[in-house]
């Protein structure tokens, strides 16, 4: 036991002396002598078995991970896309509507797209088409937005985003009819979705970044 204590004391004294000499010396240390060249630096860290393999991963690999977008414009378009197609760029429904936002061929022509096949294969173009169509609808409905936003029809608070979402579903003309009939003329599509449902579901998003543009084009 004494021998062990003496060894530790000797080691401590030696270290102190070396540190003193090192700090008191003005001699510069040549770091070039200390190099990792030629050494194998590939290391393998063993797995921590207390962490499950899927702890940080989505259990459904086919389910996209999306951030919380709130009531932003991106939140608006992604929520609408999920309602239309569950966000699938490449889907065609039974009525022939195309892509993530379910555009009809005639609507695409209005915003400069004349090749539906190319449109379906090009996600970037679909995003541009959504913005262009929304800009166009905002221009067509500009007076109705001014006159009806903030009012209630059939118990539904009218907002700009609700109007634009309904226009995406039914067309700007049908939304005009709904608003100007004070909620009597409620268009419904072949799947049972109607203007009032879209007005309510997509109410209160920030669409102020969309500028009204009569001649908006995706291409």
């Amino acid at each position: 036991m004494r021998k062990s204590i003496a060894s530790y004391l000797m080691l401590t004294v030696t270290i102190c002396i070396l540190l003193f000499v090192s700090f008191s010396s003005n001699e510069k240390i040549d770091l070039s002598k200390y190099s990792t060249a030629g050494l194998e630096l590939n290391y393998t860290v063993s797995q921590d078995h207390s962490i499950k393999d899927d702890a940080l991963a989505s259990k459904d690999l086919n389910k996209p991970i999306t951030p919380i977008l709130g009531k932003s414009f991106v939140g608006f378009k992604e929520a609408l896309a999920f309602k239309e197609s569950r966000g699938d760029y490449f889907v065609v429904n039974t009525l022939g509507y195309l892509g993530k936002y379910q555009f009809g061929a005639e609507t695409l022509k209005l915003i400069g797209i004349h090749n539906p096949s190319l449109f379906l294969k090009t996600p970037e173009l679909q995003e541009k088409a959504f913005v262009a169509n929304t800009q166009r609808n905002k221009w067509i409905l500009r007076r109705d937005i001014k006159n009806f936003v903030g009012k209630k029809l059939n118990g539904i608070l009218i907002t700009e985003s609700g109007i634009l979402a309904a226009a995406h579903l039914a067309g700007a003309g049908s939304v005009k009819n709904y608003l100007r009939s004070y909620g009597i003329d409620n268009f419904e599509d072949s799947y049972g979705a109607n203007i009032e449902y879209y007005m309510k579901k997509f109410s209160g998003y920030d669409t102020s970044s969309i500028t009204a543009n009569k001649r908006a084009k995706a291409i």
Side-chain angles (χ1 to χ4, degrees):
M1 182 69 177
R2 291 180 179 176
K3 184 177 180 180
S4 178
I5 293 173
S7 297
Y8 282 122
L9 288 173
M10 183 61 71
L11 179 61
T12 303
V13 172
T14 302
I15 291 173
C16 290
I17 293 171
L18 290 174
L19 288 172
F20 175 79
V21 172
S22 175
F23 285 111
S24 62
S25 174
N26 292 323
E27 182 182 352
K28 293 183 178 180
I29 299 174
D30 184 4
L31 295 178
S32 65
K33 296 179 180 179
Y34 304 91
S35 173
T36 58
L39 297 179
E40 180 61 53
L41 298 178
N42 295 321
Y43 298 98
T44 301
V45 179
S46 61
Q47 180 179 352
D48 186 346
H49 295 289
S50 66
I51 301 176
K52 295 181 180 179
D53 290 339
D54 61 352
L56 299 178
S58 171
K59 291 184 178 180
D60 183 357
L61 297 179
N62 295 317
K63 183 179 180 181
I65 300 173
T66 56
I68 297 173
L69 300 171
K71 289 291 186 176
S72 65
F73 174 69
V74 177
F76 169 71
K77 72 185 186 70
E78 292 304 318
L80 187 54
F82 188 82
K83 177 65 179 70
E84 294 293 312
S85 70
R86 292 191 169 268
D88 188 344
Y89 284 108
F90 310 107
V91 69
V92 180
N93 78 0
T94 56
L95 298 176
Y97 288 85
L98 306 164
K100 181 178 177 179
Y101 301 101
Q102 292 292 277
F103 276 98
E106 293 305 311
T107 300
L108 291 177
K109 289 178 183 177
L110 293 174
I111 53 176
I113 299 172
H114 300 277
N115 187 336
S117 297
L118 175 64
F119 172 78
L120 190 63
K121 293 185 290 186
T122 314
E124 183 182 0
L125 183 56
Q126 292 187 36
E127 296 297 337
K128 290 180 179 179
F130 180 80
V131 172
N133 189 56
T134 306
Q135 289 176 321
R136 185 174 175 276
N137 284 336
K138 189 168 181 176
W139 185 86
I140 296 170
L141 292 162
R142 64 197 184 282
R143 292 190 181 91
D144 300 278
I145 290 171
K146 180 179 179 180
N147 293 334
F148 286 96
V149 165
K151 296 179 180 179
K152 282 191 174 183
L153 295 180
N154 298 333
I156 298 171
L157 178 65
I158 304 302
T159 66
E160 182 178 284
S161 62
I163 289 174
L164 295 176
H168 184 82
L169 169 76
S174 295
V175 175
K176 272 189 179 184
N177 293 338
Y178 171 82
L179 293 171
R180 296 180 186 187
S181 69
Y182 289 89
I184 295 174
D185 191 353
N186 184 19
F187 171 91
E188 184 175 291
D189 73 4
S190 301
Y191 296 107
N194 59 44
I195 286 176
E196 281 191 349
Y197 175 80
Y198 271 56
M199 285 275 193
K200 184 176 181 179
K201 183 173 180 64
F202 301 104
S203 172
Y205 286 88
D206 181 5
T207 53
S208 60
S209 62
I210 292 296
T211 56
N213 184 354
K214 180 181 181 180
R215 297 179 177 82
K217 302 292 182 183
I219 295 179

